[in-house]
Amino acid sequence: MTTTPLPHPHRVTPARVLRSEWHKLRTLRSSWIALGLAVVFVLGVGVLMGTTYTPDGGDSDMDTVILVLYGSILASLCTVVLGILVTAGEYSTGLIRASLTAVPRRLPVLWAKAAVFTVTVFTAMLATALVTFVVAQLFLHDTEQAASLTDPGVLRAVAGNAAGTTFLGLIALGLGALLRSVPGAIGAFIGGVMILPEVLNTLPYDAVETAVRYFPTQAAGVLGSATPLPDAASPGPALLALVLWASATLGSAAVLLRRRDA
């Protein structure tokens, strides 16, 4: 008589890897500090914009969602740092060796980190953006910047703002896994993602100008606007560009993770 063996109680499964990465993220003080600062920046700047807005202040022609969620620029820096700490931070502390020992196939660790980071950051940023928009509109209801979430393009832009912030952090997470150094990944993000497009914009070539529109920070800015931006990509291609940038950095990190020692 044969019996079916019971599943091993400590077998590695995708759910357990996800649970492990979620436990790491929520128990690190740096995670709460970075995410908390991102929330404070978006909400604080949004309320400040609403309470101090005047029609003659030069912002009357600015997109309402961009105006209200202007703090997402600072919030993106926080999510970028958080993304780098999620991957490169483990290499700096040596914890990555324990993670890869527990999960010998390695790649599930990277995918779990990316998934947990994406869901956590997008959920927090979307909730913050919605609250910030509603609160700011309490002060803007009798101005030309008055808007509702049901207005054309507004809800899409609010969600796009959260998505753009999340994708920038996800790209940083990939850079952290690729370079395995917190200072190196921060430097690469600042130089390659933030500064390089501005340098390229100085070149007098139409092809370069068109290409720069699809760089991460430029594409993220498009997603957070309820109205079309001049000389910018449309939301659909901008979102696709962010997906491709994130896929490229994570894919490169995955290849090196398989080939290099921890």
Side-chain angles (χ1 to χ4, degrees):
M1 180 177 179
T2 60
T3 58
T4 302
L6 295 175
H8 195 283
H10 302 296
R11 185 167 59 91
V12 176
T13 64
R16 285 173 175 168
V17 178
L18 283 169
R19 192 181 308 120
S20 173
E21 293 304 325
W22 165 242
H23 178 75
K24 291 178 190 177
L25 185 67
R26 69 182 177 83
T27 54
L28 287 176
R29 184 181 302 174
S30 58
S31 301
W32 290 103
I33 292 174
L35 201 54
L37 284 174
V39 170
V40 169
F41 282 139
V42 174
L43 185 58
V45 173
V47 172
L48 181 65
M49 288 294 187
T51 56
T52 61
Y53 177 80
T54 55
D56 56 352
D59 298 325
S60 58
D61 58 344
M62 181 180 290
D63 182 272
T64 301
V65 179
I66 293 179
L67 176 70
V68 170
L69 301 181
Y70 202 73
S72 61
I73 296 176
L74 297 174
S76 295
L77 298 178
C78 298
T79 59
V80 163
V81 171
L82 177 59
I84 291 171
L85 290 176
V86 165
T87 49
E90 280 204 30
Y91 283 97
S92 64
T93 62
L95 180 61
I96 191 66
R97 295 186 182 90
S99 298
L100 298 182
T101 299
V103 188
R105 292 177 60 189
R106 295 190 170 197
L107 292 187
V109 174
L110 179 61
W111 306 142
K113 288 181 182 296
V116 168
F117 175 88
T118 300
V119 173
T120 302
V121 173
F122 180 73
T123 301
M125 290 295 94
L126 179 59
T128 303
L130 288 170
V131 171
T132 301
F133 183 86
V134 172
V135 172
Q137 285 299 323
L138 296 177
F139 304 98
L140 297 172
H141 69 280
D142 57 349
T143 71
E144 66 274 15
Q145 290 290 352
S148 169
L149 288 172
T150 58
D151 289 346
V154 170
L155 186 58
R156 176 196 56 77
V158 171
N161 178 277
T165 303
T166 303
F167 269 112
L168 291 177
L170 189 60
I171 291 169
L173 184 147
L175 287 175
L178 188 63
L179 300 176
R180 301 184 173 188
S181 166
V182 173
I186 291 176
F189 189 92
I190 293 174
V193 178
M194 300 176 67
I195 296 179
L196 180 60
E198 301 303 323
V199 175
L200 293 177
N201 262 332
T202 63
L203 300 178
Y205 303 109
D206 292 339
V208 174
E209 181 181 350
T210 300
V212 167
R213 297 174 185 175
Y214 299 96
F215 271 61
T217 50
Q218 285 71 19
V222 168
L223 295 184
S225 176
T227 56
L229 295 177
D231 300 322
S234 56
L239 178 60
L240 177 59
L242 286 171
V243 171
L244 294 176
W245 281 108
S247 299
T249 53
L250 288 172
S252 301
V255 170
L256 291 182
L257 183 61
R258 291 290 298 271
R259 295 182 177 180
R260 295 190 302 189
D261 293 332

